[in-house]
Amino acid sequence: MHIGVSKSNAFPTKEQELLLQAALLNGADGKDALAQWLDAIDFEGEMDYGSFRLLPLLFHHLKRQGRDLPIMSRLKGIYRYAWFKNQQLFFELGKTLNTLRQAGIQTMVLKGAALTVQVYRNHAIRPMADMDILVPASQAVEAYDILRAVGWSRQSGSCFEKDLKYRNATGFKNCSGIEFDLHWHPIKDSSIIASQKRYDELFWQSAVPIEIAGEPTLAPGLPESLLLVIAHGIWDNAVPPIRWVADAVFLIRFFQAKPNWQRFILLVRRYNLPLQMIQPLYYLEETFRAAIPPFVFEKLKQMPAGIPQKVVSRSCMGETKDAWHKMIQIIPGIVEYLRVSGDIEAAKLLAGFPAYVFYRMHNKKLNDVKGYIFSRVGIGS
């Protein structure tokens, strides 16, 4: 099997959807999806990495059903490898959490590590490429200095002080090749520029205690994790980010035991993300029978959304073919800027954009920025 990488919209292709259904649905629907998927793909040929990362979950699902198929031995090897790699990551994550705790820095694990412990409860079925640790924004600089002192190297060449203003996280790598992201905001889609920390406090207020490799830390509550999974997963990526579907389905199943949709609605309102949530939730309900109460959709539809939010939503959904949106995207960094600006007033939005452009262009000269714009519209500089 050869693993390929291709840029993809966040919503699965037909083949990817069949794989997800085969790994998530029970009964005849899951069996039919698996049969169609096996007919549609060349298991010995190339497979996109987004699909490959779902194979441990597929094996686990089929194993629980007592299925005995020719592909099971191959899937078992992939499952075991995923378990081994995740064990390595969790060991490093535990050491890093301990280092930060010894320095008096509060931590919360996000995304894959949190979901593995809280929701999947299996160290193999949710492969991870890196780790994600959230610290309070007030302790981000201290955490950054500590991590560099113990051997972690920052991957970005941008100014860290500017990153604190414009980004929600920065990436690190150690001598073993292990990667992790240090977050000071849990989610990129927020009023980062306006530093509206009250949004982030919602994550800390509802956090639950967990352990990673014996090390105590925190994890987001289920509504917070669902918001994070969808908001992060629906953006295009070099690796098709379709895993958000499985993460969200598992989270919604956990909701059934102790539903907290009102909390989820509050989070969507505070982070101003109704447009990014409605379509994915409809997709989960229609394609994977996710149990989402009708009032959730009603509440999300009632939330106002301005032009910046509409631009961001259409970009992350891949709805960018019209002339107006193409013109908007010519401006370097505009969508990212609107994404991290949240709901700050229009005057501040316009006044802060030039500085953000130069930050994104790594302080290149004006002629470089003009050349970039001209290249996007097909004009020679």
Side-chain angles (χ1 to χ4, degrees), residues 256-297:
Q256 294 175 358
K258 191 177 180 181
N260 199 350
W261 287 105
Q262 293 291 354
R263 176 75 177 184
F264 177 76
I265 291 168
L266 170 65
L267 291 163
V268 174
R269 181 181 294 114
R270 289 290 180 88
Y271 280 98
N272 206 5
L273 295 172
L275 297 181
Q276 284 95 311
M277 295 294 127
I278 292 174
Q279 191 173 340
L281 289 176
Y282 268 126
Y283 177 76
L284 294 171
E285 182 181 61
E286 294 172 357
T287 311
F288 298 92
R289 299 199 297 270
I292 303 169
F295 80 86
V296 175
F297 296 104

Side-chain angles (χ1 to χ4, degrees), residues 93-106:
L93 178 55
K95 289 199 305 181
T96 304
L97 290 170
N98 179 267
T99 297
L100 294 171
R101 182 174 63 84
Q102 293 295 334
I105 297 175
Q106 191 175 20

